[in-house]
Amino acid sequence: MKMTPEQQRLKERFLEPETRCGTYISAERKAAWKVLLDMLEIVIGICERNSLTYYISSGSLLGAVRHGGIIPWDDDVDVEMPRADYDRFLDLVQDELPAGYFAQTSATDEEFI
C-alpha cells in the first residue's frame, strides 16, 4: 500500500519524543511501541491470510478512538478473537511467525499463566 506524504512524515518521525495529552513520551517508549505495532501487523497478517476474525479491544480500542493511536501511558496491545479462531491461530502461529518471534502460551511454556 502506497503511503500518503503525511503518513510518510509520521513514519519518519515516529521515534521522536513528544508530549501527548500532557504525557511525555520518550524515544525509548516509542521504540517499544514500534515493536508492539510490528507484532500487531504480524498477527493481523496471519489472521487475514487464514480468514480469522480479530479485533482490537480494551485500551487499544480506546487509544485508537480517543488518542488516534496508543494511549500515551500504555504498554501493550489488546487483540481478541472468537475461541474457534483463536484455537486455529494457535495451530498456525508457530509456522507463520518470522524468525525471532514465538507465541508464548501455557502450552508452550509451563510457567506461563
Side-chain angles (χ1 to χ4, degrees), residues 1-13:
M1 176 191 323
K2 184 171 168 112
M3 285 192 264
T4 66
E6 177 64 18
Q7 290 170 321
Q8 185 63 36
R9 278 191 297 280
L10 286 172
K11 182 178 179 182
E12 290 168 0
R13 298 182 56 173

Side-chain angles (χ1 to χ4, degrees), residues 40 44 54-65 77-80:
L40 180 60
I44 289 170
Y54 68 92
Y55 45 93
I56 62 169
S57 64
S58 305
S60 297
L61 180 58
L62 178 63
V65 172
V77 176
D78 307 296
V79 179
E80 294 188 23

Side-chain angles (χ1 to χ4, degrees), residues 29 32-33 36-37 39-40 57-61 69-71 73-79:
R29 177 172 295 263
W33 285 358
L36 290 174
L37 294 172
M39 289 190 307
L40 180 60
S57 64
S58 305
S60 297
L61 180 58
I70 298 174
I71 295 173
W73 47 90
D74 207 355
D75 61 0
D76 68 351
V77 176
D78 307 296
V79 179

Side-chain angles (χ1 to χ4, degrees), residues 43 46-48 50-55 79-93 96:
V43 169
I46 292 169
C47 290
E48 291 184 352
N50 294 284
S51 301
L52 303 176
T53 300
Y54 68 92
Y55 45 93
V79 179
E80 294 188 23
M81 58 184 66
R83 186 64 198 206
D85 287 347
Y86 176 70
D87 290 340
R88 184 140 189 270
F89 177 84
L90 291 180
D91 289 340
L92 298 164
V93 69
E96 294 209 26

